[in-house]
Amino acid sequence: KWNIADAVLLAVSYIEVFLVAFNLDVAGQLQVIRVIRLGRLMRMVKLLKIFPSLYSLIRGFIGTIMAIFWGFGFILFMLLLWAIIAVQFIHPDNKPLYEDDTAWCATAFTTVSNAVVYFFQTTVVGDSWGVCAIPLMQTSSIHFWLLSSAFVTVQLGITNLILAVIVDAAAQVREQDVHERAAELNKHQQEARTVLMRVVKSMDEDENGDITFSELLEAYEKNLEFKS
């Protein structure tokens, strides 16, 4: 994997050299390429093994990036559904409350995109939930059930579900890290066993499968690998 990443970064570097040499910067390609080259910093992750706690944190974060990405997409999808419902059922009652007003609450439910921003602001970020909601609830109890249902499904349902998936992904990365460490330790043990067998065979001068005391003393005096 690291070899593939190095090959990609090397190719990107050559592209950047080519663009700079010919003074080409079409639609800001140089900026994009330079951002991609930041991927070289990923190499530093391997150096962080000397700090086990920090290495585990970074490995866990990298392992949960995809879970975070899909979780964010899932949240946006749910917000889109609630936004469509809000534009259809909340906007007609919200419009008379803010006649000739340009405040955010006046335009929050006019379009689906505005409604998505409103629900993200109130259900995900948790900012000023009651500012636009309370006046609507005072006009009809239906709006209470709509807005509270949106809050519960997103804030208490989806976000906690995503959190559980992220924690599970981090646990899988931690378990994989344990297996990698065990494999690395086993590799070192195999290498040490190979070296030991080579030393032992070099000590057995008569090749009878046994090491005598005299062979042991002679190996200690002459065999530098055995002494080390």
Side-chain angles (χ1 to χ4, degrees):
K1 294 181 180 179
W2 285 111
N3 292 335
I4 295 175
D6 290 339
V8 172
L9 291 174
L10 184 62
V12 170
S13 299
Y14 278 122
I15 294 173
E16 181 184 10
V17 171
F18 176 80
L19 292 176
V20 172
F22 291 92
N23 196 24
L24 299 175
D25 187 10
V26 181
Q29 290 179 351
L30 282 177
Q31 287 80 358
V32 175
I33 291 175
R34 286 164 182 165
V35 170
I36 295 176
R37 288 182 60 192
L38 290 176
R40 291 180 299 177
L41 297 176
M42 297 297 295
R43 269 291 185 181
M44 296 183 59
V45 174
K46 298 182 68 176
L47 302 177
L48 295 176
K49 288 186 176 180
I50 57 177
F51 306 105
S53 298
L54 180 59
Y55 178 73
S56 297
L57 287 173
I58 295 177
R59 277 289 304 271
F61 174 73
I62 294 174
T64 58
I65 287 178
M66 290 306 298
I68 294 173
F69 172 77
W70 289 114
F72 180 67
F74 187 33
I75 288 177
L76 290 181
F77 175 73
M78 184 58 66
L79 294 181
L80 179 63
L81 295 181
W82 281 114
I84 295 173
I85 294 173
V87 171
Q88 294 296 322
F89 296 99
I90 296 180
H91 175 60
D93 291 337
N94 185 66
K95 186 177 180 180
L97 297 176
Y98 303 96
E99 291 291 346
D100 300 327
D101 195 345
T102 59
W104 168 239
C105 291
T107 59
F109 304 104
T110 55
T111 64
V112 173
S113 59
N114 283 359
V116 168
V117 174
Y118 168 79
F119 282 120
F120 188 88
Q121 171 195 355
T122 55
T123 61
V124 179
V125 181
D127 176 38
S128 305
W129 184 82
V131 173
C132 300
I134 291 178
L136 283 168
M137 295 177 186
Q138 291 175 342
T139 61
S140 174
S141 61
I142 296 177
H143 299 315
F144 166 77
W145 295 108
L146 288 175
L147 295 173
S148 61
S149 297
F151 179 85
V152 170
T153 54
V154 175
Q155 182 63 249
L156 300 182
I158 295 177
T159 54
N160 285 299
L161 177 61
I162 293 173
L163 178 61
V165 173
I166 291 174
V167 171
D168 184 62
Q172 292 178 4
V173 172
R174 191 181 305 112
E175 184 177 355
Q176 181 182 358
D177 189 43
V178 171
H179 288 311
E180 289 180 358
R181 291 183 182 180
E184 186 176 355
L185 178 60
N186 184 58
K187 180 181 178 181
H188 291 325
Q189 290 176 344
Q190 291 291 345
E191 292 174 351
R193 188 178 294 109
T194 302
V195 173
L196 178 60
M197 292 301 298
R198 184 176 66 249
V199 172
V200 170
K201 287 181 179 181
S202 66
M203 293 168 57
D204 187 14
E205 295 182 353
D206 54 8
E207 299 182 354
N208 63 352
D210 296 324
I211 299 177
T212 62
F213 184 68
S214 60
E215 289 176 335
L216 185 64
L217 291 178
E218 185 178 357
Y220 181 76
E221 293 176 356
K222 298 180 180 181
N223 194 322
L224 296 178
E225 193 173 22
F226 175 67
K227 293 178 66 174
S228 61

